[in-house]
Amino acid sequence: KAGVTQTPRYLIKTRGQQVTLSCSPISGHRSVSWYQQTPGQGLQFLFEYFSETQRNKGNFPGRFSGRQFSNSRSEMNVSTLELGDSALYLCASSLAGTSGEKILGETQYFGPGTRLLVL
Amino acid sequence: AQKVTQAQTEISVVEKEDVTLDCVYETRDTTYYLFWYKQPPSGELVFLIRRNSFDEQNEISGRYSWNFQKSTSSFNFTITASQVVDSAVYFCALSVGAGGFKTIFGAGTRLFVKA
């Protein structure tokens, strides 16, 4: 079974631009979460999607948004990029329950990440 | 509030040494899960283990072992006879909440294993 894939793997943008990152979960997984990893702040939760709906959101400004498609693939968008948005963006997928309930303790499987550099 | 503390920022050992990575967590929830992930230089987080708050049994998997002690809110990870391939950043994480759990990660411990 293929793992979580993220595209692109590397990206360079300039301040003020916007960027879209893509994540394809493991086949059959319906929950997709996004995380930002920086040297200063570590791993921080951005948001989580299930069945095309955002269910949880971390403490990030509205410039960070996302969506999920019917095939569970997810995209994350950052508008008006700032230097501080330079980070490794990780996507994780998990199975989720048959009714979509989040199963506490469910394992998340992470993709290789997209490394974004904002100049 | 929930919190995960990995006090060791970096650890350097020589191959074949044993090494323990510390993890201390804080939560008022009675039901929670603890995880360890490994992040090699490639960047991808690799799942290592999951424990729930009701199971304090220690676990061993090959050279890896985990010691979960609720009395001290600790979930420490030991690598026996370390190898160069163990060099990575290791994260401890806590999942809490019913219906919409969130995962809190520690800051990570960077392990260097020298040949």
Side-chain angles (χ1 to χ4, degrees):
Chain A
K1 202 181 247 188
V4 178
T5 58
Q6 291 186 247
T7 57
R9 293 293 310 278
Y10 303 92
L11 207 48
I12 299 176
K13 292 284 188 178
T14 56
R15 277 183 302 174
Q17 287 186 310
Q18 75 165 24
V19 67
T20 298
L21 312 181
S22 179
C23 171
S24 292
I26 291 172
S27 177
H29 284 195
R30 301 189 298 167
S31 170
V32 174
S33 298
W34 288 89
Y35 293 84
Q36 182 196 64
Q37 185 178 21
T38 60
Q41 299 298 318
L43 269 161
Q44 293 185 288
F45 171 73
L46 278 157
F47 28 64
E48 185 254 350
Y49 286 87
F50 175 82
S51 193
E52 302 177 63
T53 301
Q54 185 183 91
R55 298 198 295 189
N56 288 295
K57 192 176 191 307
N59 295 325
F60 279 82
R63 300 184 297 106
F64 291 81
S65 62
R67 59 178 175 168
Q68 187 181 35
F69 302 95
S70 57
N71 61 358
S72 295
R73 189 177 70 85
S74 177
E75 286 183 349
M76 191 194 94
N77 184 275
V78 187
S79 62
T80 319
L81 284 166
E82 299 177 359
L83 296 179
D85 297 333
S86 295
L88 178 66
Y89 290 88
L90 291 163
C91 163
S93 78
S94 56
L95 196 55
T98 52
S99 301
E101 71 273 16
K102 290 202 74 164
I103 303 171
L104 182 63
E106 189 173 57
T107 299
Q108 295 181 83
Y109 296 90
F110 285 80
T114 293
R115 196 168 292 279
L116 171 65
L117 176 62
V118 182
L119 301 175
Chain B
Q2 295 84 22
K3 187 178 178 182
V4 176
T5 303
Q6 294 181 256
Q8 304 149 307
T9 306
E10 287 185 1
I11 300 176
S12 183
V13 299
V14 176
E15 209 171 19
K16 296 184 184 175
E17 280 186 20
D18 298 347
V19 58
T20 296
L21 309 182
D22 298 332
C23 173
V24 174
Y25 63 94
E26 293 176 30
T27 180
R28 291 181 182 173
D29 291 64
T30 55
T31 302
Y32 54 88
Y33 277 76
L34 294 162
F35 298 80
W36 274 96
Y37 285 90
K38 173 183 180 180
Q39 187 176 42
S42 60
E44 184 171 344
L45 281 165
V46 177
F47 166 77
L48 294 177
I49 191 172
R50 173 185 67 195
R51 303 298 288 176
N52 73 54
S53 52
F54 301 107
D55 182 2
E56 286 191 74
Q57 209 169 26
N58 293 329
E59 183 160 336
I60 298 175
S61 176
R63 296 183 298 107
Y64 295 169
S65 63
W66 291 268
N67 184 294
F68 176 28
Q69 291 193 338
K70 286 178 74 171
S71 60
T72 55
S73 296
S74 65
F75 185 43
N76 297 337
F77 172 33
T78 297
I79 302 175
T80 303
S82 58
Q83 300 176 1
V84 173
V85 293
D86 296 328
S87 296
V89 181
Y90 291 86
F91 291 94
C92 180
L94 168 70
S95 281
V96 295
F101 74 85
K102 59 179 178 179
T103 301
I104 304 100
F105 283 84
T109 297
R110 185 177 297 275
L111 174 65
F112 294 99
V113 181
K114 295 179 281 191

